[in-house]
Amino acid sequence: MRRHSEWRRRRRLARAALALAAALLAADSGVAKPSSGRAGAAAHDPNGFVVAQSLRVKGGVRGEFERAVELLGAERWSEAIPLLERVTEAAPKAAAPHVDLAIAYERTGDLSRAEASLTRALEASPQHPVALNELGIIQRKTGRFADARRSYELALARYPTFHFARRNLAILCDLYLADRSCALENYERYAELAPHDAEATKWLAALRAREGRE
């Protein structure tokens, strides 16, 4: 079985979540005032995939959040966790801090708390693509492959161009579900979205070769 460079992919994903988070919270002198709780506009940026959610929070909360984002960017997961816990308590309807807290928990090996944080993120913003993608990763790691597939597919149903979820679904179908049709379709769609990913191009070529031989 070939090895996928998950660490490099996860670092790209972390940057995507951080970009999402940095774009989400806006300072305000009043108390937190949540929007409808649903994710707003979504778009690619140089760091990955950004979802905007309109919220107002106190300036102090924003400061702690920005410090946590800096710590996550430096891979100082344990130091970021208490800051993000305070932010999520102060702004429970903000999805991105819950997602970033889940990433920090996952990096420190606490999958149970990571999943709980993602559940809260999805309560705040149903169909949030980064939360669903991270949830799929945890479900795959804990052997719940059918659940992982559903999580990736839910993210893609709302945001078909979310390339991280597309890539993860292809890998899941290829290596864990032995569903070559699903793997081929999603590798091909991912290759269209991320044509410069040479590694994925090789996987796609290898899968096509296997399909041709059989």
Side-chain angles (χ1 to χ4, degrees):
M1 180 182 294
R2 67 182 182 276
R3 296 175 61 89
H4 292 278
S5 299
E6 182 179 9
W7 176 243
R8 289 200 297 274
R9 182 206 61 78
R10 293 304 301 281
R11 292 193 67 178
R12 290 199 298 271
L13 179 56
R15 288 198 296 272
L18 294 179
L20 177 154
L24 186 147
L25 295 180
D28 185 74
S29 58
V31 297
K33 299 178 182 177
S35 65
S36 63
R38 294 185 178 275
H44 292 280
D45 81 348
N47 295 315
F49 196 85
V50 177
V51 177
Q53 183 185 10
S54 299
L55 288 170
R56 294 180 180 178
V57 299
K58 292 181 179 179
V61 175
R62 183 187 183 189
E64 285 201 314
F65 185 71
E66 290 176 346
R67 175 58 181 157
V69 168
E70 291 175 1
L71 291 170
L72 290 175
E75 300 180 10
R76 294 161 63 180
W77 317 115
S78 296
E79 295 176 61
I81 286 173
L83 291 175
L84 288 167
E85 288 175 338
R86 289 198 292 271
V87 171
T88 57
E89 289 174 4
K93 295 298 184 181
H98 287 299
V99 174
D100 287 344
L101 180 57
I103 290 172
Y105 278 140
E106 190 273 337
R107 296 297 197 280
T108 59
D110 195 337
L111 298 185
S112 178
R113 285 183 177 172
E115 186 164 351
S117 290
L118 293 170
T119 298
R120 288 191 286 273
L122 290 167
E123 289 171 354
S125 181
Q127 295 182 308
H128 193 291
V130 179
L132 286 166
N133 186 58
E134 283 292 325
L135 180 60
I137 291 168
I138 290 174
Q139 290 166 333
R140 190 266 298 165
K141 284 190 170 186
T142 53
R144 292 172 288 161
F145 303 140
D147 290 340
R149 181 172 185 165
R150 281 193 293 272
S151 293
Y152 296 141
E153 288 177 342
L154 280 172
L156 292 166
R158 179 71 182 272
Y159 299 108
T161 61
F162 185 25
H163 51 300
F164 295 115
R166 186 71 66 186
R167 186 177 194 265
N168 285 336
L169 178 57
I171 291 170
L172 179 75
C173 289
D174 189 6
L175 299 185
Y176 298 92
L177 297 176
D179 186 337
R180 291 188 178 179
S181 176
C182 166
L184 185 61
E185 176 187 354
N186 286 285
Y187 277 140
E188 287 176 341
R189 296 190 68 178
Y190 173 76
E192 294 172 358
L193 294 168
H196 302 299
D197 188 336
E199 192 172 35
T201 299
K202 291 179 182 178
W203 304 337
L204 176 57
L207 182 58
R208 283 172 170 165
R210 293 202 307 273
E211 289 288 289
R213 286 196 298 269
E214 296 178 8

